Amino acid sequence: MRKIIILVSVLLLGVASMSYLYFSKLGIENDAKDLALQSATNNAAILFSFQNDKAFYEIMAGQSLLQQAIGEEKTNLLKQLKESFINKKLINNFVQDQEIYISLLPDTNQTLNFLITVQIRSDQELINFQNKLQSIVKPVVKEKNIYTLQVNDSLNVFLGMQHQVLTVSTSLKLIKNAAIRLNDNPFTAYIKESRLLNKNILAQLYINFNQAPLLLKNIIAGSINGEMALFKTQNSFATLNYNFSKEKILFNGNTEIKSADNYLKLFEQIPVQSINIQNIIPDRTASYTIYAYDNYQSWQQKLARWQTLKNLTDKRNVLIKKVKTEYRTDLNAIFPLYLKNQFITFQLNTGEKLAAISLINGEKVKQLLFDVSEDYSEEIKHFKTADILFTYLGEPFKNFVKPYYVIIDNQFVIANNASTVQSFLNSYKNNKLLIQEPAYLDALNQLPNTSNIGFYINLKNAKNIFRSQLLLKYYQHLQADSGWKEFDSFYYQMSADQNKFITNMLLNKYIKPNPSDSASTR
């Protein structure tokens, strides 16, 4: 019996050892296959990937809107690189059918630049590839495994060749940075996991919001604050599949929020909602963010957990007690009962910021808030106590400390200045609303009418805001005929789906109907 036990133990040990060796070897092989991805994701906030095959290039040739969004300069650069690499059989033989990554990265002198990364086919040797290139490249002095290639009379590019990976860029800095591969890069791990679920996709866009600050520093004038401040701590990623179309630029996929204390986590695992609060905002709106949940009482439990993570629980309890003591007003008998299922923060083209909250019974809320408010005018009121709305709705109301407000048609509209509230009332009463604009309606018609979170920019109304925030060359691209001038709407829509958000990202260009077309159909 003892001999049998020893024999079985030896056999089990042998199987375990062989399994370990097999899976270790498999892991090493998988890591080798991901060298290009590791290089491409280093410091990248935006990564576009596609398979190097003829079908992709044929389809992309007709995507004029995407080329317009990228800009004439960068489009011409990509075309020239394609002519120099993909169209040359000597080079393309080594990377045929391989995944090509285009990373958008911050470069020197407040510029953004592309890094193109591709892995040489496993059946081709790097040394053989280097030998083939000897006649057309020159080594860079004092730089190991980096070469230059003259694309044309005015364009030289750098090539990095290391461990079966080819990197190409007009920036030496990006080539050198790409040689530093991080095995524990969360962005790399996220993309690898995402690719297992999204096979046979022709082109994908990956976004690493953790790297957004580095990108934004090269685009904006000044520091990252105000509306941009959310990118400082936005630990999240997105995988978006390119929806090939000649009429619009549309990506579909998902967004994953990683940090437990991220405010957007409060909207996970909530049924999508029919959104209508945007119908009240003025036609001068430059941007807005919409939030929607199913039921305030259940959502408030999520908010309470978020407040605990942010160490805000004591502040909340002190405020509620103070208001009850000083003004004989029980806030817990107002907001949990009368807040509906959606709210919105928005900014006008003047830079003025407002917010609106849907109510179940606006007239009742007016009465209940009487003692904690003071009159500015017959319609406009002012909170006497700070942070009431922040306590019951959280992060989006952080900067509305003691706002002025008006309650009209079951909508609770606030701003930090009474004149801003009055400006809203003038637009609302005169029906000067964004929902009346054909370009805005056209954008909404491209997307589902249910979601949980929506971020919208009216590119024409935001013109003056962009002028004050962006560096001149990026603002000029937004206003150029060959750039974003003809685009009118950007929308990033998120709908909860368990632990992630189904996402639609739209850059829309409204084309006015031709009157002669409608006349001919009569």
Side-chain angles (χ1 to χ4, degrees):
M1 184 67 179
R2 183 179 178 185
K3 290 181 180 180
I4 293 174
I5 293 173
I6 293 173
L7 180 61
V8 171
S9 299
V10 170
L11 287 172
L12 288 173
L13 184 62
V15 170
S17 299
M18 291 183 68
S19 299
Y20 173 78
L21 290 172
Y22 171 76
F23 286 109
S24 296
K25 182 180 179 182
L26 187 63
I28 293 171
E29 290 175 352
N30 286 335
D31 288 341
K33 291 178 182 177
D34 292 322
L35 290 176
L37 179 60
Q38 291 174 24
S39 292
T41 52
N42 190 14
N43 295 327
I46 297 175
L47 181 68
F48 187 71
S49 76
F50 58 91
Q51 192 171 29
N52 180 30
D53 61 26
K54 186 178 179 181
F56 173 79
Y57 298 109
E58 288 176 346
I59 294 174
M60 287 302 294
Q63 302 296 296
S64 58
L65 285 183
L66 188 60
Q67 296 171 22
Q68 188 175 348
I70 295 171
E72 187 175 0
E73 178 187 348
K74 296 299 185 186
T75 297
N76 288 338
L77 172 62
L78 292 175
K79 287 180 178 178
Q80 290 170 345
L81 292 175
K82 179 178 177 293
E83 290 289 331
S84 301
F85 291 93
I86 304 304
N87 293 354
K88 284 189 176 179
K89 191 173 181 180
L90 177 142
I91 297 176
N92 197 42
N93 282 343
F94 288 85
V95 294
Q96 181 63 37
D97 297 325
Q98 292 293 91
E99 195 81 5
I100 293 181
Y101 302 101
I102 301 179
S103 309
L104 183 62
L105 295 157
D107 201 357
T108 55
N109 300 320
Q110 293 183 313
T111 60
L112 302 180
N113 211 335
F114 288 137
L115 172 74
I116 299 174
T117 309
V118 61
Q119 193 147 328
I120 295 167
R121 287 166 52 189
S122 58
D123 60 341
Q124 304 278 3
E125 294 182 359
L126 180 65
I127 295 175
N128 187 21
F129 180 51
Q130 290 173 321
N131 290 337
K132 295 274 189 182
L133 288 179
Q134 289 300 318
S135 60
I136 61 173
V137 300
K138 295 180 181 179
V140 176
V141 179
K142 296 182 181 180
E143 298 291 350
K144 186 178 180 182
N145 299 322
I146 300 179
Y147 307 83
T148 59
L149 170 67
Q150 186 170 353
V151 175
N152 55 41
D153 293 339
S154 60
L155 179 62
N156 286 306
V157 297
F158 295 96
L159 285 76
M161 285 181 274
Q162 186 182 42
H163 304 307
Q164 276 189 260
V165 175
L166 171 67
T167 51
V168 182
S169 180
T170 57
S171 168
L172 178 61
K173 173 190 172 183
L174 299 190
I175 297 293
K176 293 171 70 173
N177 288 346
I180 304 171
R181 301 188 182 98
L182 305 176
N183 291 324
D184 58 348
N185 187 337
F187 193 28
T188 306
Y190 168 78
I191 293 174
K192 287 170 66 175
E193 181 180 354
S194 177
R195 286 192 307 195
L196 294 175
L197 303 174
N198 295 277
K199 296 180 179 180
N200 302 319
I201 301 297
L202 203 55
Q204 287 184 307
L205 182 73
Y206 301 98
I207 303 174
N208 179 4
F209 289 100
N210 298 293
Q211 292 296 330
L214 288 175
L215 207 64
L216 289 171
K217 282 180 180 179
N218 279 32
I219 297 175
I220 66 173
S223 58
I224 303 173
N225 51 33
E227 298 298 318
M228 296 286 188
L230 65 94
F231 289 108
K232 288 182 178 180
T233 55
Q234 189 68 276
N235 184 15
S236 55
F237 303 99
T239 299
L240 303 171
N241 305 321
Y242 181 46
N243 190 315
F244 292 88
S245 171
K246 293 183 179 181
E247 290 76 35
K248 57 184 176 291
I249 298 176
L250 179 63
F251 289 85
N252 313 107
N254 62 75
T255 303
E256 291 188 34
I257 311 296
K258 298 297 184 179
S259 296
D261 64 348
N262 189 309
Y263 181 79
L264 299 184
K265 294 282 278 186
L266 275 62
F267 299 87
E268 283 186 344
Q269 301 180 359
I270 289 178
V272 295
Q273 302 296 305
S274 179
I275 306 297
N276 54 42
I277 194 170
Q278 76 278 3
N279 294 348
I280 72 167
I281 60 178
D283 56 3
R284 298 180 293 114
T285 299
S287 65
Y288 68 65
T289 306
I290 286 177
Y291 307 85
Y293 47 82
D294 54 343
N295 174 274
Y296 182 80
Q297 282 84 356
S298 60
W299 182 79
Q300 189 182 28
Q301 296 175 18
K302 297 176 183 287
L303 178 66
R305 289 193 291 269
W306 176 81
Q307 289 170 329
T308 300
L309 291 172
K310 293 290 188 178
N311 297 317
L312 295 170
T313 304
D314 290 342
K315 181 179 179 180
R316 177 195 67 199
N317 294 337
V318 168
L319 172 68
I320 293 170
K321 184 178 180 181
K322 176 185 175 183
V323 170
K324 194 169 186 178
T325 302
E326 293 185 9
Y327 301 106
R328 303 178 306 281
T329 300
D330 184 2
L331 296 177
N332 283 334
I334 304 173
F335 293 105
L337 297 180
Y338 294 103
L339 291 183
K340 206 173 180 183
N341 70 331
Q342 55 196 273
F343 55 92
I344 184 173
T345 60
F346 57 101
Q347 185 173 23
L348 304 181
N349 58 358
T350 56
E352 297 169 283
K353 297 176 183 178
L354 303 94
I357 309 156
S358 288
L359 301 174
I360 294 171
N361 187 332
E363 291 302 317
K364 185 66 176 178
V365 174
K366 280 184 187 179
Q367 298 170 18
L368 295 172
L369 289 178
F370 181 82
D371 290 328
V372 78
S373 306
E374 57 188 2
D375 290 345
Y376 174 82
S377 67
E378 186 176 345
E379 291 182 291
I380 300 173
K381 313 299 177 184
H382 185 221
F383 276 123
K384 296 177 183 177
T385 301
D387 293 327
I388 289 178
L389 296 177
F390 176 64
T391 296
Y392 284 92
L393 290 167
E395 189 71 26
F397 293 84
K398 184 177 181 179
N399 295 321
F400 295 103
V401 181
K402 290 174 67 175
Y404 294 85
Y405 72 85
V406 64
I407 296 177
I408 184 169
D409 294 338
N410 288 331
Q411 303 295 339
F412 194 129
V413 182
I414 68 167
N416 287 324
N417 297 297
S419 59
T420 306
V421 177
Q422 186 61 58
S423 174
F424 163 81
L425 280 172
N426 294 340
S427 296
Y428 184 72
K429 290 179 179 180
N430 290 294
N431 205 32
K432 294 181 178 180
L433 306 175
L434 190 63
I435 198 67
Q436 305 289 345
E437 298 296 317
Y440 177 63
L441 285 173
D442 184 65
L444 291 187
N445 288 336
Q446 313 297 325
L447 300 168
N449 60 4
T450 57
S451 64
N452 297 100
I453 300 167
F455 178 66
Y456 165 80
I457 301 176
N458 185 301
L459 296 170
K460 300 190 186 306
N461 287 347
K463 179 180 177 180
N464 290 334
I465 296 172
F466 286 139
R467 181 183 292 155
S468 64
Q469 291 183 342
L470 299 180
L471 294 173
L472 180 60
K473 55 188 169 184
Y474 299 107
Y475 174 74
Q476 288 175 337
H477 175 58
L478 284 178
Q479 299 305 315
D481 291 333
S482 59
W484 284 41
K485 184 177 181 179
E486 294 184 6
F487 293 100
D488 48 73
S489 301
F490 172 84
Y491 212 117
Y492 197 93
Q493 183 187 61
M494 300 166 63
S495 302
D497 182 30
Q498 297 183 0
N499 295 321
K500 63 180 183 298
F501 292 93
I502 296 173
T503 302
N504 298 298
M505 186 173 75
L506 171 71
L507 182 60
N508 201 53
K509 178 180 179 181
Y510 173 63
I511 300 174
K512 292 182 180 180
N514 190 333
S516 60
D517 292 340
S518 59
S520 63
T521 59
R522 292 173 187 167

